[in-house]
Amino acid sequence: SALEGVKTLQSLLPMCAWCKNVRDDAGYWGRVEDYLTHHTGRTMTHSMCPACLSKYCVNHDNEDKTTY
């Protein structure tokens, strides 16, 4: 039971509720993309989900929204 609690705490990633930066094990804050790249070896890319496209790009046309 106690070991399971420790595993849960170790799996938490502190994230700022406003800017979405994350705190690493050394206590430094940085971009979530950088953290994930460092810990997974994967390169991040950015796109726009359909909900944000509708919210922030009011003049978008009816193209396939999954390509943004």
Side-chain angles (χ1 to χ4, degrees), residues 13 23-25 32-42:
L13 180 61
R23 189 177 68 225
D24 65 15
D25 294 335
V32 68
E33 295 92 337
D34 295 336
Y35 181 90
L36 291 172
T37 296
H38 177 75
H39 285 84
T40 67
R42 300 188 75 175

Side-chain angles (χ1 to χ4, degrees), residues 2-64:
L3 181 58
E4 196 63 33
V6 169
K7 288 180 183 178
T8 299
L9 288 174
Q10 289 176 337
S11 68
L12 295 176
L13 180 61
M15 178 180 275
C16 177
W18 285 267
C19 69
K20 305 303 183 208
N21 281 344
V22 295
R23 189 177 68 225
D24 65 15
D25 294 335
Y28 295 103
W29 289 90
R31 296 176 345 135
V32 68
E33 295 92 337
D34 295 336
Y35 181 90
L36 291 172
T37 296
H38 177 75
H39 285 84
T40 67
R42 300 188 75 175
T43 302
M44 301 296 128
T45 185
H46 291 85
S47 188
M48 185 176 275
C49 73
C52 287
L53 182 65
S54 295
K55 183 176 180 179
Y56 297 109
C57 300
V58 293
N59 293 326
H60 71 279
D61 54 21
N62 290 329
E63 293 180 33
D64 178 12

